[in-house]
Amino acid sequence: MVKYGRAKIVLRMTCGPTNACINFHCDGAYASHTVQIAVNDSSDDEGGRLCFFVNDTLCVLERSAGSMVQRHPSILHGVTALIDGTRNSLFVVDEAMALVNAALYLQKRNR
């Protein structure tokens, strides 16, 4: 039986160009699962693609608004650099993961 903590909904908006990507990583022990919902279509921007490995194969998603991806924290994933446009995603995450993301945001902002 998997126990889930309280969930949080987080809106992430990224405006291009970012000149950066989110490096490939696995989520830590703070996350039990992550659900990501695309708010806008992949065709609205250039770059900013969610990528992950499944069975040693790189998968790059073209997402339509309203599409959903659920992943286990052990899935290796990243996001390509956003060249142009705005990428909006809703995340449904564990409360602990929301706190980790908030801390990382504040850490980057204060550099």
Side-chain angles (χ1 to χ4, degrees):
M1 177 181 209
V2 177
K3 280 184 114 177
Y4 295 98
R6 293 175 22 188
K8 293 283 184 182
I9 297 174
V10 178
L11 173 63
R12 181 177 193 154
M13 181 175 78
T14 306
C15 299
T18 60
N19 299 320
C21 63
I22 297 176
N23 293 330
F24 280 101
H25 65 282
C26 294
D27 295 336
Y30 50 81
S32 60
H33 281 80
T34 298
V35 174
Q36 186 184 83
I37 302 165
V39 177
N40 57 318
D41 289 329
S42 294
S43 61
D44 292 345
D45 49 56
E46 182 181 351
R49 300 297 179 262
L50 177 61
C51 307
F52 55 96
F53 279 95
V54 176
N55 299 324
D56 295 326
T57 301
L58 177 64
C59 300
V60 180
L61 297 182
E62 293 290 330
R63 304 175 321 148
S64 58
S67 63
M68 180 185 81
V69 174
Q70 178 184 8
R71 70 176 186 290
H72 190 271
S74 64
I75 299 295
L76 184 63
H77 63 284
V79 179
T80 64
L82 184 62
I83 307 302
D84 187 44
T86 301
R87 181 178 188 266
N88 296 293
S89 295
L90 281 176
F91 290 85
V92 181
V93 297
D94 294 0
E95 185 173 30
M97 187 167 177
L99 294 174
V100 167
N101 284 334
L104 290 173
Y105 169 78
L106 291 173
Q107 187 178 44
K108 284 182 182 178
R109 196 177 94 185
N110 291 329
R111 286 185 187 172

